[in-house]
Amino acid sequence: MDWFDARHDQVANLVGREPEIHRLHLFVSRIAGGAGEALLLAGDPGVGKTSLLDHAAALATGSGMRVLRATGSQFEADISYAALHQLLHPRLGEVPRLSPLLAGALNVALGLGEGQPPAQLLVASAVLALLQAAAEKQPLLLVVDDLPWLDRASALVLGMVARRLNGLPVGMVAACRSGEPSFFDLSSLAVVYVDPLSEEAATELLTGRYPVMTPRVRRRLLDTARGNPLALLELPISLGDLSTTVAGALPAALPLTHRLQSVFASRVRALPAPFVELLLLAALDGTGDLRLVRAIDTDRGGGALHAAERSGLVRADESGERLTFRHPLIQSAIVDLSTSEQRRRAHAELAARLADRPERHAWHLAEATEEPDEKVAALLKEVAITNLRRGDSVGAVAQLLRAAQLSPPGKGRSGRLAEAAYLGSLVTGDLRDAPRLLEQARLADPGPGDLLSVAGARAFHLLHGDGDIDTAHRLLVTAIQDQDAARDASDIVVIEVLYTLLMVCFFGGRADLWPPLHDAIDRLRPHPPGLLVILSHAFGDPARLTPDMLARADAAVASISDEASSARIIRTSIAVAYLDRLSPCRDVLQRVIQHGREGGAVSSAIEALFLLGQDAFHTGRWDEAQRLVEEGLRLCEAHGYDLLTWPGRLTGALLAAARGDVRKAASIARDMDAWAAPRRAGIIGAYACHIRALAALGQGDFETAFHNAAAVSPPGTLASYTPHALWVFHDLIEAAVHTDRSAEAAAHVAAARDRRLDRLSPRLRLVVLAAAAITAPQADTADLERAIAEPGNDRWPFDLARIQLTYGAHLRRAKRTGEARRHLADASQTFHRLGAVPWAERADRELRATGISHSITATGLASLTPQQLQIAQLAAAGHTNKEIAARLFLSPRTVSTHLYQVFPKLGITSRAALRDALAAPADSE
């Protein structure tokens, strides 16, 4: 009986696995019934996970389901999407039926087509669509073995797929070794822990397979195997005649994995050399490509493949054209038993035979090369760039490193090491390896063509590590000016270097840093990337944004939902952050965060968390803002991104200042000053001034508020390349009015009018109108009244309430008491809802000055109008604003306005809390 026959017998009667079998029966029956879910089998090597997977596959087949399988391979782990290709291979003919976007993404990811690099979430969406189509006639079961050995890109995508099967007639059952790291996100999967067999079950398995055995040998084997089924079935093979073998003749006790490896190695050594050579080729290929192995065997005279099958080490699946090793440890043993020269020859042969598969050809050619070879290095770099554009940046870094190892000194090695350091920092989020790679790049004698890559990597690390703004700026500007190649808009390194320079300029916060960047962008040919141009203007100096550039920024936001690249999503969102347009970017930013949580670009996830935190602060979702900021700060600490902490800490400090935690706000501002001053990081200094100004305004310390707001941009001036001036504009006006600096306040309003800040966003229009109203006593305030009442302007509740407080106080002093009460009461209600304690106290003091002893606002269910209650009930039931609008014959904007009015009345801050708020008994109010 060969090993595979025994394995199928074992699947038919798995010993001691009744609980696991019962769980698999329930799982498969649910999938057959149309309920999608994923299940993970976890346990030690050899404990029987693969046999249980086989049992699940047999159950599924018996239930009329289709089964797709893939197995991780350590020798294929560096080939992007190899496992995904293996899994989907039988269904690839259905890919053209998908939408063009999804089909294109999947084709590019699997190397079947060309195009822009798809985000892994988009690839996952394509896989889900393909599976859904495949499961229309029959439910589908995905069987994935050896998760830790899946290539990174496949593991991330399949992890996303596993969490999104709910509602589809598709199931996934996977297996992994306990305690082994994997890129596959296991956190949300149901897990069945496959423990070693009990003493009784282990004895039954051993005696059932080897009935003739002396009792002492059996005892020794049971003690050594410790309930591991693979060890129980394999260890006796090397013992010869079990009826005569005695316990004392057994090998000395070794760790189980060592003993199993020894058994596998002995079985390989027993084979003739030609058979071992063929198995080595199959092992190093790692794809299970039966056609390739059969072709090699035929060219060598034939017979070796059949002999290898008869040995029980491999099995050829003719229907699936796959060659399967009986266990991955056999594959490892074959490689371990070979010499380095044998492995190089095997890789060279595989490279020659895979000349039509660029990625695999290049990788095998690189593994076959011992001495530096520029031709091979250049080929591998091309593969790395292809992987980068396909979205597998981590694979690209590994390939760039190997390309650098194969590069002759002075001919690209330095640049490739620098690119690996740059991309590794940018994408994986790990800054710690960059110094070592950069030092290697320095020692590699950089050639003229390498200087831009080296400068970009060094500057990126300086910026995010030490925060050395001026050195980073000097490095980049010098490298760009010295390189003719820096004019090529199609060169990905050139563009990334310019994006890095842009961030250096922003964090530097000084106008003199920007001209070299704009000059470099203008020199790009045939034309600079549109997003780079938008970002350099809208983020760099929004106060001077032209109508054309504002329209381009709006167009970028309008198309952001179709964007697949995390980097482009982040850069688009950053471009419009000071223009109050982050709300339309929320969904895609959440996508970036989820991608980062699942192993994607962590630096992008950090920035997305802080951008959403900033948006949540401005739109009054303060608890959410705090959670987002805290998660981002944890990631910064874990990955060493010191510079990126400051935007997150800014939002946290503004929250503290608004809520009255002056001590915390002041502490963060001091930290910012201490960090920014020696590094000349101007924007961080501006952050600190903003924090102190807001905290002082809340406490009524208007003199301190004025000096800090004026430090960002002097009164009467919107300083060039000082985007933060837009965020402290109202702070300066309010502080100036309260400190009798009417001339300075009027000059600042005039500067805003001159720059037409009111056209940039509805919030800024409100701010400018309010500023004009309180600085010019005789001004017509009708426009401001209309702006305050305009539906949708309460999307910035804190800003609106501050405007109503300032304007209401102005009206009170002008003896317009009735009008003042209305605005002050609204401001008080908003501040109380937000928890903006010092501001609520200020509003209540102003109300008392109008003759009202305290603020009374209706809350609870009884305060809702009939239409508000109807809208709230529909929203709580899960309907979108668009669906509610269609049902009630309203506009979605009107629905949104009503919900914003409902939230404070019910004492909640999010849609998710509606159901509980509506269920609360009336008398609880």
Side-chain angles (χ1 to χ4, degrees):
M1 178 188 295
D2 69 21
W3 181 84
F4 279 95
D5 290 338
R7 178 174 171 181
H8 289 304
D9 290 344
Q10 183 185 354
V11 170
N13 185 24
L14 290 168
V15 175
R17 295 302 183 200
E18 290 77 15
E20 292 88 349
I21 290 172
H22 178 67
R23 182 70 179 271
L24 290 175
H25 273 273
L26 293 175
F27 173 78
V28 171
S29 65
R30 287 196 295 271
I31 305 304
E37 61 179 294
L39 183 68
L40 176 69
L41 305 180
D44 293 334
V47 80
K49 303 182 296 296
T50 299
S51 294
L52 287 167
L53 290 180
D54 291 340
H55 187 74
L59 288 173
T61 302
S63 301
M65 299 169 61
R66 293 179 178 175
V67 176
L68 300 179
R69 299 193 68 148
T71 301
S73 165
Q74 67 181 121
F75 306 105
E76 205 174 6
D78 291 322
I79 300 177
S80 301
Y81 294 111
L84 190 65
H85 188 282
Q86 182 188 146
L87 182 72
L88 300 180
H89 186 267
R91 316 306 308 172
L92 291 181
E94 298 175 21
V95 171
R97 300 179 188 175
L98 303 179
S99 70
L101 176 65
L102 297 180
L106 197 53
N107 280 329
V108 171
L110 299 180
L112 304 176
E114 297 181 353
Q116 290 296 317
Q120 283 159 345
L121 187 59
L122 183 60
V123 177
S125 298
V127 173
L128 282 167
L130 182 64
L131 296 177
Q132 184 175 11
E136 287 179 353
K137 295 181 180 178
Q138 290 175 273
L140 195 63
L141 180 66
L142 311 179
V143 180
V144 185
D145 204 357
D146 285 324
L147 289 181
W149 285 349
L150 294 185
D151 63 278
R152 182 181 186 278
S154 296
L156 292 174
V157 167
L158 290 176
M160 297 179 204
V161 169
R163 290 187 300 281
R164 293 166 172 81
L165 294 176
N166 188 36
L168 299 178
V170 180
M172 179 189 293
V173 59
C176 74
R177 298 180 182 183
S178 298
E180 285 201 5
S182 170
F183 292 111
F184 189 103
D185 185 359
L186 311 175
S187 57
S188 60
L189 299 187
V191 181
V192 173
Y193 291 99
V194 185
D195 295 321
L197 296 175
S198 65
E199 175 81 2
E200 180 181 356
T203 301
E204 180 184 349
L205 177 61
L206 185 61
T207 56
R209 178 69 184 273
Y210 303 102
V212 181
M213 184 183 298
T214 63
R216 290 195 178 189
V217 170
R218 183 180 300 116
R219 181 69 264 162
R220 180 70 181 277
L221 290 174
L222 288 170
D223 290 343
T224 302
R226 298 179 184 177
N228 186 286
L230 185 62
L232 289 166
L233 293 173
E234 292 296 330
L235 286 173
I237 294 174
S238 62
L239 302 183
D241 188 349
L242 295 175
S243 63
T244 58
T245 301
V246 295
L250 294 176
L254 295 172
L256 181 60
T257 53
H258 288 182
R259 182 177 295 278
L260 286 172
Q261 185 68 16
S262 176
V263 171
F264 297 149
S266 66
R267 296 182 68 182
V268 173
R269 288 192 186 98
L271 295 174
F275 300 177
V276 177
E277 289 176 8
L278 185 68
L279 290 176
L280 178 62
L281 286 161
L284 293 176
D285 169 61
T287 66
D289 188 343
L290 178 58
R291 287 172 293 185
L292 174 64
V293 177
R294 187 188 292 121
I296 296 172
D297 184 38
T298 300
D299 291 346
R300 293 181 172 209
L305 179 58
H306 293 303
E309 284 188 88
R310 287 195 299 271
S311 74
L313 295 177
V314 295
R315 182 182 183 186
D317 180 0
E318 301 292 343
S319 62
E321 292 290 340
R322 290 185 50 75
L323 184 71
T324 308
F325 281 89
R326 148 226 181 291
H327 191 276
L329 288 176
I330 290 180
Q331 202 170 355
S332 300
I334 291 167
V335 176
D336 289 344
L337 288 172
S338 64
T339 66
S340 59
E341 179 58 31
Q342 288 171 330
R343 290 193 293 274
R344 281 194 294 273
R345 284 202 306 267
H347 279 299
E349 181 171 352
L350 289 169
R353 290 180 177 273
L354 294 168
D356 60 336
R357 301 290 298 275
E359 185 172 341
R360 290 170 66 189
H361 169 73
W363 186 254
H364 285 300
L365 197 58
E367 293 300 296
T369 305
E370 188 174 12
E371 298 296 329
D373 187 319
E374 175 59 23
K375 183 178 178 181
V376 176
L379 184 62
L380 195 57
K381 180 181 176 179
E382 287 181 16
V383 170
I385 297 302
T386 299
N387 274 338
L388 182 63
R389 289 174 174 153
R390 287 169 55 189
D392 182 24
S393 299
V394 175
V397 171
Q399 287 149 358
L400 280 172
L401 285 172
R402 180 61 179 145
Q405 292 170 355
L406 293 173
S407 302
K411 291 188 177 180
R413 176 183 292 182
S414 179
R416 287 160 191 159
L417 284 167
E419 287 171 13
Y422 191 13
L423 292 171
S425 301
L426 187 66
V427 180
T428 68
D430 192 349
L431 294 171
R432 292 165 291 189
D433 206 33
R436 178 183 62 83
L437 294 175
L438 289 171
E439 178 60 16
Q440 291 179 12
R442 184 186 69 80
L443 296 174
D445 186 21
D450 300 332
L451 294 178
L452 195 61
S453 300
V454 174
R458 287 190 180 281
F460 186 86
H461 189 260
L462 280 171
L463 181 65
H464 289 283
D466 302 329
D468 190 340
I469 302 291
D470 288 341
T471 303
H473 188 270
R474 185 171 59 254
L475 269 173
L476 293 173
V477 170
T478 301
I480 290 168
Q481 291 175 344
D482 290 347
Q483 294 291 306
D484 289 336
R487 300 172 183 266
D488 184 0
S490 66
D491 188 326
I492 191 170
V493 173
V494 170
I495 301 306
E496 289 300 328
V497 163
L498 291 175
Y499 275 120
T500 300
L501 178 57
L502 192 154
M503 298 314 294
V504 169
C505 295
F506 170 75
F507 281 107
R510 305 190 300 275
D512 61 297
L513 298 177
W514 288 86
L517 171 68
H518 288 297
D519 289 344
I521 292 174
D522 290 342
R523 289 199 305 269
L524 289 172
R525 296 294 180 269
H527 52 78
L531 181 55
L532 179 60
V533 175
I534 293 169
L535 187 64
S536 66
H537 290 278
F539 189 52
D541 198 3
R544 289 162 179 77
L545 207 60
T546 65
D548 174 66
M549 198 59 66
L550 182 61
R552 291 175 67 178
D554 283 332
V557 172
S559 62
I560 198 171
S561 60
D562 298 326
E563 185 56 65
S565 165
S566 293
R568 288 184 61 83
I569 289 171
I570 292 299
R571 287 162 179 167
T572 302
S573 302
I574 288 174
V576 298
Y578 282 108
L579 303 176
D580 303 316
R581 284 161 172 77
L582 283 177
S583 294
C585 306
R586 286 177 192 167
D587 288 345
V588 288
L589 287 171
Q590 286 287 0
R591 220 165 66 197
V592 172
I593 293 169
Q594 187 61 29
H595 185 222
R597 289 169 180 160
E598 294 170 343
V602 70
S603 57
S604 294
I606 291 169
E607 291 177 294
L609 284 162
F610 290 156
L611 285 165
L612 284 178
Q614 172 191 320
D615 176 63
F617 172 72
H618 286 297
T619 55
R621 296 170 290 117
W622 286 5
D623 291 340
E624 181 183 346
Q626 190 67 49
R627 287 193 300 271
L628 290 163
V629 165
E630 288 172 356
E631 182 179 354
L633 291 175
R634 286 194 298 270
L635 287 174
C636 285
E637 182 179 3
H639 295 279
Y641 276 102
D642 293 340
L643 182 71
L644 288 186
T645 62
W646 298 119
R649 295 191 71 186
L650 168 65
T651 300
L654 293 177
L655 280 167
R659 285 172 162 166
D661 190 347
V662 177
R663 181 175 298 179
K664 178 180 178 181
S667 175
I668 295 174
R670 283 194 301 272
D671 289 346
M672 288 179 171
D673 282 334
W675 191 90
R679 296 168 174 83
R680 303 184 71 203
I683 191 63
I684 310 302
Y687 289 173
C689 290
H690 185 186
I691 294 165
R692 283 191 289 267
L694 187 67
L697 286 171
Q699 301 302 312
D701 183 358
F702 299 107
E703 188 70 26
T704 297
F706 176 80
H707 286 296
N708 277 278
V712 177
S713 187
T717 303
L718 292 171
S720 299
Y721 297 104
T722 308
H724 221 69
L726 273 60
W727 280 6
V728 298
F729 179 84
H730 184 68
D731 299 356
L732 192 148
I733 296 292
E734 183 180 0
V737 168
H738 281 279
T739 56
D740 296 324
R741 291 182 171 93
S742 56
E744 288 89 339
H748 215 52
V749 173
R753 295 284 198 193
D754 182 54
R755 292 294 173 190
R756 294 195 58 202
L757 288 194
D758 56 329
R759 68 188 165 80
L760 296 181
S761 78
R763 185 189 69 83
L764 284 170
R765 179 170 177 269
L766 261 179
V767 168
V768 172
L769 287 171
I774 64 175
T775 56
Q778 306 305 319
D780 183 1
T781 60
D783 285 344
L784 175 60
E785 292 279 1
R786 283 193 292 270
I788 289 174
E790 185 176 324
N793 275 349
D794 56 353
R795 77 189 82 167
W796 301 287
F798 186 54
D799 290 276
L800 179 60
R802 286 185 59 193
I803 286 169
Q804 290 182 295
L805 170 60
T806 304
Y807 181 49
H810 169 74
L811 292 173
R812 181 184 66 77
R813 289 191 295 271
K815 309 302 184 182
R816 295 161 64 181
T817 306
E819 297 171 75
R821 285 174 179 166
R822 175 166 55 86
H823 289 292
L824 292 171
D826 287 346
S828 173
Q829 177 181 326
T830 300
F831 290 140
H832 280 289
R833 174 174 65 83
L834 291 173
V837 176
W839 302 86
E841 291 173 350
R842 279 186 58 194
D844 289 345
R845 284 196 299 271
E846 289 287 348
L847 270 173
R848 285 194 293 271
T850 68
I852 296 179
S853 59
H854 59 277
S855 153
I856 302 176
T857 55
T859 60
L861 288 174
S863 68
L864 301 185
T865 67
Q867 188 170 69
Q868 287 175 340
L869 179 60
Q870 191 176 17
I871 289 172
Q873 289 170 336
L874 289 170
H879 295 286
T880 65
N881 286 5
K882 188 175 181 180
E883 291 168 345
I884 297 170
R887 180 173 295 195
L888 301 182
F889 302 101
L890 301 171
S891 72
R893 186 172 182 177
T894 300
V895 172
S896 176
T897 299
H898 279 302
L899 286 174
Y900 270 105
Q901 294 167 349
V902 165
F903 288 176
K905 290 183 177 182
L906 295 182
I908 61 176
T909 59
S910 71
R911 200 183 192 99
L914 270 173
R915 185 186 299 273
D916 291 340
L918 293 175
D923 59 5
S924 68
E925 300 166 15

